Amino acid sequence: MPIIYQQISELRAALQPHRTQQSIALVPTMGNLHDGHLELVNIAKQHADIVVVSIFVNPTQFGEGEDFDSYPRTLDADVTKLATVAADYVFAPSIEEMYPVLPPATAVLAGTISAQLCGQSRPGHFDGVGIVVSKLFNIIQPDAAVFGQKDYQQLAIIKQLVRDLSYPLEIIAAPIVRAADGLALSSRNQYLTASERQVAPVLHQALQGLAQQLQDIKIAPQGSILPHIAALLAQTREHLTNAGFTVDYLEVKTAELDAMTEDFDKDEQDMVILVAAWLGRARLLDNQLVTIK
Ligand code: PAF
């Protein structure tokens, strides 16, 4: 079983002896772990000797009216699952331990990438992610940290944070883990009713279809890809709406994690399609990489 710490000082003391000879990886989570999180731990173990999993439902990244109170908290079950993948330590602090003053007086601003997509629908969300992740990096001082690619924008923002604040660690991006029917695994999937769960895989299917259509676009000489993209996005939005989703956003961006713009000017372009859509009470996120030649 992993050893659980709730106090920063105790965790630091436990990690100290490892630092001379062993590398440490962090897997930050909000708990309610599923196979996607366990895969993050497996990946972390490939990169470091010791794996610390943090479990903390971070109040500063939830907006008013969001699901902070109802977010599932399942620490005992989480620790049992983490034993199956041989995680070494769990850090599960209280809110008071993480935030002696709440809201904290010091801010971490997530920068321009955060102004779009999820950041537009959830103002302040990525600043909250930024401060909690900074604190976790300072507390644990890992050599590497693993983040899931399902939260593509979050991953881009964390990479920026590491660059801008000179954290001496490697960020490892972990591929999306999906259910057999294609739905990206997420703790929030449990908000879906049985009938919504049947519909949910349509989201991934729609992104796959859109990726194929983007690859098939034929641009006239001197033409622009932008009107083609706009038309395909409109079609896909309509398809999702007809299937029962309320689309928050569906956009195509350049895939470079340090930019995420709509500056599609190269002959060969790596793009990412990003979607957030409500199905009942669940806000589902997904994305799909696509290369246009
Ligand atoms: O992706 C998440 O679960 C959270 O945003 C994170 C990175 C653990 C910060 O609270």
Side-chain angles (χ1 to χ4, degrees):
M1 277 289 194
I3 305 174
I4 309 171
Y5 289 102
Q6 286 166 330
Q7 307 292 327
I8 295 171
S9 57
E10 288 174 7
L11 177 70
R12 279 193 173 139
L15 292 178
Q16 196 52 41
H18 293 294
R19 294 196 193 281
T20 45
Q21 302 280 341
Q22 290 172 302
S23 55
I24 298 172
L26 166 66
V27 178
T29 81
M30 297 205 302
N32 195 243
L33 304 182
H34 49 66
D35 286 351
H37 294 112
L38 301 187
E39 189 52 23
L40 300 183
V41 177
N42 288 330
I43 292 171
K45 287 198 81 80
Q46 290 161 18
H47 286 81
D49 304 308
I50 300 292
V51 174
V52 182
V53 179
S54 63
I55 297 182
F56 180 63
V57 184
N58 171 36
T60 63
Q61 70 187 76
F62 287 79
E64 216 156 290
E66 292 189 348
D67 57 345
F68 174 71
D69 290 332
S70 57
Y71 198 88
R73 289 155 172 90
T74 51
L75 184 61
D76 292 345
D78 291 346
V79 173
T80 306
K81 285 181 189 168
L82 288 173
T84 67
V85 286
D88 299 283
Y89 297 102
V90 171
F91 178 48
S94 65
I95 292 183
E96 296 71 31
E97 182 71 2
M98 281 300 268
Y99 295 110
V101 173
L102 188 66
T106 304
V108 174
L109 299 179
T112 47
I113 291 181
S114 75
Q116 53 186 331
L117 305 167
C118 282
Q120 203 162 35
S121 327
R122 305 183 68 190
H125 166 68
F126 287 120
D127 299 341
V129 170
I131 192 150
V132 80
V133 168
S134 300
K135 286 174 73 79
L136 291 168
F137 289 168
N138 288 329
I139 293 164
I140 293 153
Q141 296 176 22
D143 301 286
V146 187
F147 290 84
Q149 229 163 342
K150 183 173 78 66
D151 298 305
Y152 197 89
Q153 189 180 11
Q154 171 171 278
L155 179 62
I157 286 166
I158 303 291
K159 287 208 164 196
Q160 235 177 30
L161 179 95
V162 166
R163 180 197 66 198
D164 292 348
L165 299 184
S166 308
Y167 281 111
L169 60 90
E170 185 191 355
I171 296 298
I172 298 157
I176 300 176
V177 179
R178 299 183 180 280
D181 59 11
L183 177 65
L185 297 191
S186 162
S187 302
R188 289 188 169 105
N189 290 352
Q190 62 191 267
Y191 297 159
L192 296 167
T193 63
S195 59
E196 287 162 356
R197 179 64 190 79
Q198 300 283 311
V199 173
V202 170
L203 196 61
H204 174 52
Q205 289 154 16
L207 294 197
Q208 283 183 308
L210 179 54
Q212 189 56 57
Q213 288 171 307
L214 285 168
Q215 279 170 329
D216 293 345
I217 290 174
K218 299 275 176 287
I219 310 167
Q222 317 301 324
S224 162
I225 195 170
L226 292 175
H228 297 271
I229 293 179
L232 291 174
L233 286 174
Q235 262 175 37
T236 309
R237 268 187 214 113
E238 193 181 336
H239 173 61
L240 288 171
T241 306
N242 292 340
F245 293 87
T246 302
V247 178
D248 180 350
Y249 61 77
L250 173 68
E251 295 188 37
V252 179
K253 301 280 178 187
T254 54
E256 286 88 16
L257 282 167
D258 59 355
M260 292 184 74
T261 66
E262 280 160 27
D263 207 0
F264 308 123
D265 56 355
K266 297 183 201 136
D267 289 344
E268 185 172 326
Q269 180 77 63
D270 290 327
M271 298 179 174
V272 56
I273 310 165
L274 303 116
V275 69
W278 289 92
L279 193 57
R281 274 182 62 218
R283 184 171 177 275
L284 304 177
L285 292 188
D286 207 341
N287 64 74
Q288 173 87 37
L289 289 163
V290 55
T291 300
I292 311 285
K293 293 189 180 145

